[in-house]
Amino acid sequence: MEIIYALAIGVLTGSGVWLLLRPRTFQVIMGFSLLSYAVNLFIFGMGRLTVGRAPIIDTLKQVDPSLYNDPVPQALVLTAIVIGFATTALFLVVLLASRGLTGTDHVDGEESEP
Amino acid sequence: MSLAWIVLLPFAGSICVSFMPSHARNTAGWLAGAVALACTVLTFQLYPQMADGGVVRMAFQWAPGLGLDFTLRMDGFAWLFAMLVTVMGTLVVLYARYYMAAQDPVPRFFSFFLAFMGSMLGVVLSGNLIQLVVFWELTSLTSFMLIAYWYHRLDARRGARMALTVTAAGGLCLLAGVLILGRIVGSYDLDIVLASGDLIRAHSWYLAALILIAVGALTKSAQFPFHFWLPHAMAAPTPVSVYLHSATMVKAGVFLLVRFWPVLAGTDAWFWIIGSAGLFSLVLGAYAAIFQRDMKGVLAYSTISHLGLITLLLGLNSSLALIAAIFHIVNHATFKASLFMAAGMVDHETGTRDLSRLSGLRRAMPITAILAVVGAAAMAGVPLLNGFISKEMFFTETVFISGNLITRIGMPALAVLWGIFSVAYSLRFILQVFFGPPAVDLPRSPHEPPRWMLFPSALLVMACLVVGIVPAQTIGPYLDVASRSVLGADMPFHSLAVWHGVNLPLIMSLLAMAGGVILYRALGKYHHGTSVVPLIEHFDGKRIFEFLLEKLDSLARGLTQWLSTDRLQVQLLLVICAAFASALIPLLHGGLPEGDMPVAAAHPAFAIMWLVGAACAMGAANQAKYHRLAALSLAGGAGLATCMTFVWFSAPDLALTQLVVEVVTLVLILLGLRWLPPRHKSIDEDMRSRGARVRARTRRLRDLGLAIIAGAGMTVLSFSVLTRRAGEGISPFFLENSLSLAGGANVINVILVDFRGFDTLGEITVLGIVALTVFALLRRFRPAPESMELPVKQQEQDALAGGATPDPHALLPAGPMMLPGVIVQLLLPIAGMVAVFFLLRGHNEPGGGFVAGLIVATAVILQYLVGGTAWAESRTRIHPQYWIGLGLLCAAGAGLSAWLASRQFLSALAWHGTLPVIGEVHLSTVLLFDLGVFLLVIGATVLILVVLAHQSRRGHRKAATAHGEASAARSAGWSAIGPTAPHDPAAVDMPAAQAAAYIAPAR
């Protein structure tokens, strides 16, 4: 499982990095999306992969930390997902405003080569 | 306590005055005057404590860990200076009330004026060196505001900027200097520093500290070679010049030199640095003053010269010279302020300060003339006036100087030369303006200014006279107290008297008088002044300053250009490389040891899922250039795989959130796609030159390589982490205490809303700000012209609808959207219920405010998607801004409620009990907090999506008005929707492959 998980992170990172370096704003916004998936998975993975151990305490049993997945990375990722949405929205609007002002969707606001 | 009030009152007054309307001239004046007067009284009543050499102290804790206290300290010298600041402040307020025109925003003036006064008192009364520098820089800032008061004038802006640059830079040097002092002594407390003079003078860093502090003092006091800013600061309103440039701010420099005299003076370095700066300013300032055309210009250069006199006296390393310097600080303030006031009155009544135009004003303005004559006489050092006595003291000091022949003869000679210059420019100042034939072409016909405008000047002139005639009975005791507080036990015997018998200084005085009259007679063509001072025209400080500034500017620009780029791709490339390097370098040192945890066997379903996920990700990367919709859908596929992974590995909360965020993001970007341009011609391969194609291919290969390396690196890194045991962290704490301390079984939710509630509060604030920023950015949105028309699909749909404008008040949207319209309407209450369910159970089961809020937002946006903006908004107006505000209030209120139980911010309060009918109930402020999150998420998400959706309507409205004709000619699509309107054939015959053109119409 771990190897698949790691490969998934790698593919998402690679695709994200590739898109980040492209010249069109839409490519960059997609790149950020993919890269944020990768980063979220990476942070989540810091709590190690466990199956069927959601950090929801069973009130009937004794609390034993080893029975649950690490909640801290999960809480971090949850925050990251929401903030990621906010930055995507902001970036999209800046992108649209830039496109309206400059007439192009190149990230620099002008075509690099004629 | 009165010490604190002396500093606080002006600042409080400044804040009060700043809120007054701009026409409140009298109220502002009264308040400022009352504050200044109160400070005067408060300062004066402290005199008995000063009289026997006492020191009043008052300390508040500031940053005790750093050894910093907010300390106020007043000794005799500080008392004298504070009196100078407050008395002058009172008089200048009175003067300014009549000087300022009714159309000037007077409260602004008084606000900055009081702030300056407070800063100046802060400098004078600081008992801590760092604190002194802070107030010192505050005086620079407030004086910048005051010089630039008439900021519509170019000279005012330039003068203010130059003054700020020079004095604030000096202030930074001063900061460095006092840091060294503090380091040497081991304390920033003024008393301790003043007691360690021998330690400082013997220290190897003494010279560095001396130079830095000297630069600070000399820039502030406009001493050579930093003197050039003062004449340009004359663009300020005259009350500012009276107060800042004669009485107080420029005196701050010499104040500092006196303050540090006990610890820094007494060495050769002090003599040469301070003495020579003073000597140059003394002679050059007086020389340049002779040739000025502007009345205030004469006074400005004269100020440089007189401050040079004080600096020189301080540099002489003699106790008697120090007493003379303190005496002259007071004397100069009185006569120079009265002269500046006179210049202001002449300017006020005639409309000009040009010496070549003014003449014979003594007939029209007799009282002003008398005041100016007495003031100028004091400036020239005529007997029976206070200027004479301090001049005599100066001459005495130069006569008794020790050293080699050059200094013994040169110093008195230069002193006499200075005397000659002073007499000459004083004579010219008076004779040019008030005597001679009446002036003819003045902008205004002159007459005497109002009585209360004359009053401050008259009072100061009276002081000059009284001090000049009976010095020992008037200023004597105060001067004695001030000098004693600096000199301590080494106080020499001195006597303030007008007549010391016929001696060398008296002869020098007479020589200077006679020489001055002769020089004035000999001025010839320079009587009317000149724009360049003869002989020293090449030493123009302003030109050098501007040259340096320009060079610095171009150097900075060059460096920026060389070191940075505007191109985003290059910047991102660097960021990625830096991130990669920062991960790689530690690995090169430590290596990447293999993990020891057993690897779980791969589940085929999981493998297949990520096979699809990876294909989606790579597909999205490939398609994002031309096929935006396809790329968006593919990226969504990768997102879903991520979401499923969260489910798989015991993170139901993450999966839920990811799922709803995925939906909302998709809608968001779909709404934005509409405004993106069609495929650009120049990026088609065959349209470009061969070189460009090769370059593009190389770039792509490089990026591909980088992407593969980054991906491989992340894979290795993740795998290596995943296969080793987790270290002991803070996680067990949360798991163990979630139920017992916070009463919630869902640890994730408990962390978010309880343990780390402050983080979440910050996060939702960010979310709210982002939504409002999006709203603000889109208010001025200008879509590109070619995106103006309706998308093709919508045109088709409108044609199907039969051309009738859809009725926004219809029960259901017309056309093919009717059935979905029924469903989404039914969905809204159900979605609301589901959301509340998720919200309420969030503390114990997967769910919570974030998820619930996003569910409601999705349901709301569905109404828009299906029915269109007009239809959705004809029902209920949603005001997302209110939701954002309400959400923040709820969350912050939940946090604040802890204070009611006198507990820390955001501590949860819970109530558990039984209610009739309902049964057992558990209520907690945590729920209120989560409710706040819920409301804010709804508000922010809906606001972002709705304002984006609204753009299509705005765009059309704009197009209808601005581009009406042109657009109608290009396409009849949007303006005349109807069967008669022919469709643009190009738009209809769109290739199917460009289905994405629905969003981004190609043209």
Side-chain angles (χ1 to χ4, degrees):
Chain A
M1 291 300 248
E2 277 80 0
I3 186 74
I4 300 174
Y5 191 88
L7 279 172
I9 291 175
V11 171
L12 288 171
T13 310
S15 313
V17 167
W18 162 259
L19 280 177
L20 279 193
L21 298 172
R22 297 300 92 216
R24 304 285 140 196
T25 46
F26 183 74
Q27 292 174 306
V28 177
I29 203 171
M30 286 285 92
F32 274 123
S33 274
L34 293 179
L35 200 61
S36 68
Y37 294 146
V39 171
N40 286 347
L41 282 176
F42 185 76
I43 297 174
F44 175 60
M46 293 300 108
R48 306 300 182 271
L49 307 180
T50 51
V51 178
R53 291 184 186 175
I56 293 166
I57 309 290
D58 192 336
T59 43
L60 301 175
K61 288 188 198 153
Q62 201 77 26
V63 180
D64 176 6
S66 66
L67 289 180
Y68 302 100
N69 186 271
D70 191 344
V72 175
Q74 289 201 27
L76 289 176
V77 171
L78 199 126
T79 310
I81 293 173
V82 178
I83 288 293
F85 164 69
T87 42
T88 308
L90 196 59
F91 182 39
L92 181 79
V93 170
V94 172
L95 175 167
L96 294 179
S98 146
R99 146 81 172 139
L101 287 173
T102 62
T104 166
D105 67 337
H106 194 281
V107 284
D108 296 329
E110 58 188 13
E111 295 300 330
S112 51
E113 288 169 22
Chain B
M1 202 56 213
S2 53
L3 266 190
W5 281 116
I6 293 171
V7 179
L8 276 181
L9 263 182
F11 285 111
S14 164
I15 293 168
C16 285
V17 172
S18 68
F19 284 112
M20 289 183 185
S22 62
H23 55 78
R25 187 154 84 123
N26 284 326
T27 330
W30 275 112
L31 186 70
V35 167
L37 196 62
C39 287
T40 314
V41 173
L42 280 173
T43 313
F44 187 75
Q45 54 93 23
L46 284 168
Y47 179 70
Q49 284 162 277
M50 301 298 125
D52 48 356
V55 174
V56 180
R57 286 179 60 95
M58 177 175 240
F60 306 93
Q61 285 219 327
W62 180 10
L66 297 171
L68 286 181
D69 284 329
F70 188 88
T71 316
L72 294 173
R73 173 190 184 278
M74 184 190 263
D75 58 6
F77 178 57
W79 179 85
L80 187 69
F81 216 96
M83 278 307 281
L84 192 69
V85 172
T86 51
V87 171
M88 281 294 173
T90 316
L91 294 179
V92 173
V93 168
L94 182 62
Y95 177 79
R97 160 63 189 80
Y98 292 94
Y99 178 86
M100 303 307 276
Q103 58 266 30
D104 285 325
V106 178
R108 182 155 62 87
F109 173 80
F110 281 122
S111 175
F112 288 134
F113 184 87
L114 286 177
F116 169 78
M117 190 167 138
S119 321
M120 196 64 212
L121 287 168
V123 170
V124 174
L125 298 179
S126 280
N128 180 298
L129 296 187
I130 305 285
Q131 178 195 336
L132 187 146
V133 179
V134 171
F135 280 115
W136 179 278
E137 291 288 40
L138 266 182
T139 63
S140 293
L141 283 177
T142 43
S143 83
F144 170 78
M145 293 302 199
L146 284 170
I147 298 171
Y149 175 69
W150 286 318
Y151 54 75
H152 54 274
R153 281 169 41 183
L154 180 67
D155 60 337
R157 292 200 301 271
R158 280 210 180 136
R161 200 159 49 215
M162 189 190 281
L164 180 69
T165 315
V166 176
T167 56
L172 288 179
C173 291
L174 175 65
L175 176 63
V178 301
L179 286 178
I180 296 177
L181 273 193
R183 196 81 184 161
I184 297 173
V185 179
S187 167
Y188 293 110
D189 191 275
L190 191 59
D191 278 320
I192 301 176
V193 172
L194 287 183
S196 357
D198 293 329
L199 175 70
I200 293 168
R201 277 187 294 268
H203 202 273
S204 54
W205 281 82
Y206 164 74
L207 192 61
L210 171 63
I211 291 173
L212 287 167
I213 290 175
V215 169
L218 297 180
T219 48
K220 201 75 162 181
S221 280
Q223 292 297 286
F224 182 85
F226 311 109
H227 60 281
F228 52 88
W229 67 265
L230 187 60
H232 293 280
M234 289 298 127
T238 301
V240 175
S241 306
V242 175
Y243 196 42
L244 272 65
H245 304 137
S246 74
T248 55
M249 190 181 87
V250 290
K251 295 275 167 59
V254 286
F255 168 83
L256 193 78
L257 293 180
V258 175
R259 191 86 281 183
F260 285 130
W261 199 85
V263 289
L264 292 178
T267 62
D268 279 351
W270 171 272
F271 173 76
W272 285 111
I273 294 173
I274 304 297
S276 58
L279 188 63
F280 272 109
S281 314
L282 174 83
V283 180
L284 289 179
Y287 175 69
I290 300 174
F291 301 97
Q292 296 306 308
R293 189 173 272 166
D294 178 8
M295 284 177 83
K296 280 171 81 177
V298 176
L299 297 177
Y301 277 104
S302 153
T303 301
I304 294 173
S305 167
H306 278 275
L307 288 167
L309 171 68
I310 300 168
T311 311
L312 176 59
L313 281 169
L314 293 172
L316 290 178
N317 284 336
S318 128
S319 315
L320 277 172
L322 177 86
I323 297 171
I326 296 175
F327 187 36
H328 198 64
I329 288 177
V330 180
N331 286 342
H332 175 250
T334 41
F335 67 70
K336 191 53 68 62
S338 80
L339 282 172
F340 265 117
M341 285 180 183
M345 286 188 271
V346 168
D347 188 17
H348 195 253
E349 302 306 326
T350 64
T352 180
R353 298 191 312 249
D354 192 336
L355 284 172
S356 59
R357 293 175 71 184
L358 291 165
S359 180
L361 281 181
R362 84 194 141 93
R363 290 177 194 83
M365 309 172 71
I367 304 177
T368 315
I370 293 170
L371 296 176
V373 168
V374 180
M379 176 162 77
V382 172
L384 295 185
L385 290 164
N386 58 356
F388 172 73
I389 302 172
S390 44
K391 190 177 70 169
E392 289 289 277
M393 289 164 95
F394 168 56
F395 283 170
T396 313
E397 286 307 310
T398 58
V399 170
F400 293 119
I401 196 165
S402 56
N404 55 21
L405 201 63
I406 300 173
T407 43
R408 263 187 299 164
I409 296 190
M411 200 66 109
L414 282 173
V416 172
L417 188 65
W418 164 75
I420 292 172
F421 290 157
S422 307
V423 172
Y425 69 69
S426 304
L427 265 179
R428 181 169 162 261
F429 183 82
I430 290 304
L431 295 180
Q432 226 31 38
V433 176
F434 294 103
F435 293 85
V440 275
D441 60 336
L442 292 177
R444 266 173 251 155
S445 62
H447 54 84
E448 204 68 73
R451 197 186 327 155
W452 286 108
M453 195 168 174
L454 283 166
F455 176 74
S457 176
L459 208 65
L460 291 168
V461 168
M462 283 297 288
C464 290
L465 267 170
V466 173
V467 171
I469 296 168
V470 280
Q473 287 77 21
T474 49
I475 190 80
Y478 304 113
L479 183 62
D480 197 60
V481 165
S483 313
R484 198 177 295 278
S485 74
V486 179
L487 290 168
D490 310 330
M491 187 76 178
F493 172 77
H494 69 107
S495 79
L496 284 179
V498 183
W499 182 250
H500 284 109
V502 180
N503 53 11
L504 195 54
L506 186 68
I507 295 167
M508 284 164 73
S509 269
L510 294 175
L511 213 61
M513 296 275 180
V517 175
I518 295 166
L519 178 63
Y520 175 72
R521 288 276 165 220
L523 272 179
K525 62 166 179 161
Y526 291 119
H527 262 289
H528 289 300
T530 164
S531 50
V532 283
V533 182
L535 298 180
I536 53 166
E537 69 260 42
H538 294 298
F539 301 100
D540 186 352
K542 177 185 171 232
R543 261 216 323 263
I544 299 169
F545 172 77
E546 277 171 0
F547 171 79
L548 284 177
L549 220 55
E550 205 174 291
K551 280 279 163 248
L552 193 69
D553 207 38
S554 60
L555 180 73
R557 204 176 309 125
L559 263 181
T560 315
Q561 266 172 7
W562 180 58
L563 284 175
S564 79
T565 167
D566 288 343
R567 310 213 76 93
L568 184 75
Q569 285 164 279
V570 182
Q571 293 173 14
L572 282 177
L573 184 75
L574 288 173
V575 168
I576 290 166
C577 288
F580 188 78
S582 63
L584 187 68
I585 290 167
L587 290 185
L588 286 181
H589 283 285
L592 196 63
E594 267 182 48
D596 48 357
M597 252 196 355
V599 177
H603 196 287
F606 190 72
I608 292 170
M609 184 180 83
W610 268 111
L611 216 56
V612 176
C616 280
M618 288 191 285
N622 190 29
Q623 295 295 312
K625 190 168 188 180
Y626 296 129
H627 306 287
R628 299 191 183 116
L629 189 61
L632 191 57
S633 317
L634 287 170
L640 279 182
T642 310
C643 182
M644 298 289 282
T645 310
F646 288 142
V647 180
W648 199 293
F649 294 118
S650 355
D653 274 289
L654 292 192
L656 264 177
T657 316
Q658 176 83 54
L659 193 66
V660 275
V661 164
E662 205 59 47
V663 172
V664 177
T665 312
L666 187 78
V667 175
L668 178 82
I669 297 181
L670 276 177
L671 286 170
L673 284 185
R674 159 94 169 76
W675 303 107
L676 287 175
R679 186 169 178 161
H680 197 283
K681 290 244 173 13
S682 73
I683 48 179
D684 285 339
E685 291 286 331
D686 48 322
M687 294 287 287
R688 288 196 285 185
S689 68
R690 203 182 131 74
R693 277 209 303 276
V694 171
R695 270 200 302 282
R697 199 163 301 150
T698 333
R699 204 168 49 228
R700 250 176 249 152
L701 270 176
R702 179 199 68 194
D703 293 349
L704 185 66
L706 199 66
I708 290 173
I709 293 172
M714 281 297 274
T715 306
V716 173
L717 205 59
S718 328
F719 185 74
S720 127
V721 173
L722 289 172
T723 51
R724 70 189 57 216
R725 262 170 231 295
E728 192 65 25
I730 51 171
S731 311
F733 169 82
F734 293 117
L735 288 165
E736 281 159 9
N737 294 305
S738 170
L739 206 54
S740 53
L741 287 185
N746 182 357
V747 185
I748 308 300
N749 186 272
V750 167
I751 291 179
L752 285 181
V753 298
D754 201 334
F755 284 131
R756 308 293 306 160
F758 214 163
D759 295 356
T760 311
L761 187 63
E763 187 200 353
I764 58 172
T765 312
V766 169
L767 198 60
I769 291 171
V770 166
L772 293 177
T773 313
V774 165
F775 177 62
L777 277 173
L778 285 178
R779 278 180 58 140
R780 306 292 304 272
F781 177 57
R782 299 268 180 283
E786 71 262 31
S787 305
M788 280 296 197
E789 296 152 26
L790 274 186
V792 183
K793 282 284 175 193
Q794 198 164 352
Q795 290 175 17
E796 288 174 10
Q797 191 182 318
D798 288 343
L800 277 178
T805 317
D807 173 19
H809 296 284
L811 188 59
L812 289 170
M817 282 302 175
M818 193 183 284
L819 201 56
V822 176
I823 296 172
V824 292
Q825 270 179 313
L826 287 177
L827 197 65
L828 190 59
I830 298 173
M833 194 180 69
V834 171
V836 171
F837 169 70
F838 271 115
L839 173 70
L840 289 180
R841 75 172 206 159
H843 217 44
N844 293 314
E845 300 281 334
F850 280 118
V851 178
L854 286 165
I855 290 173
V856 173
T858 316
V860 169
I861 206 66
L862 264 179
Q863 312 292 318
Y864 278 83
L865 280 181
V866 168
T869 320
W871 182 80
E873 288 188 349
S874 70
R875 266 131 196 88
T876 333
R877 288 287 293 170
I878 303 173
H879 295 284
Q881 295 97 320
Y882 297 171
W883 292 70
I884 295 177
L886 198 64
L888 273 181
L889 276 179
C890 269
L896 289 177
S897 68
W899 288 355
L900 292 178
S902 29
R903 291 171 65 186
Q904 295 231 324
F905 183 63
L906 276 171
S907 307
L909 301 178
W911 176 79
H912 197 97
T914 319
L915 285 180
V917 185
I918 301 172
E920 207 175 331
V921 172
H922 180 85
L923 283 179
S924 160
T925 52
V926 164
L927 182 65
L928 186 65
F929 185 83
D930 218 7
L931 186 70
V933 174
F934 171 66
L935 294 175
L936 186 131
V937 169
I938 297 178
T941 318
V942 171
L943 181 62
I944 291 172
L945 293 174
V946 166
V947 292
L948 204 50
H950 260 257
Q951 296 316 310
S952 52
R953 300 183 71 200
R954 282 169 55 97
H956 291 171
R957 276 207 303 278
K958 277 217 176 58
T961 51
H963 300 267
E965 298 274 317
S967 298
R970 264 194 288 148
S971 154
W974 56 267
S975 54
I977 308 160
T980 48
H983 277 294
D984 189 350
V988 177
D989 297 336
M990 193 66 60
Q994 286 194 4
Y998 168 51
I999 284 51
R1003 180 159 295 277

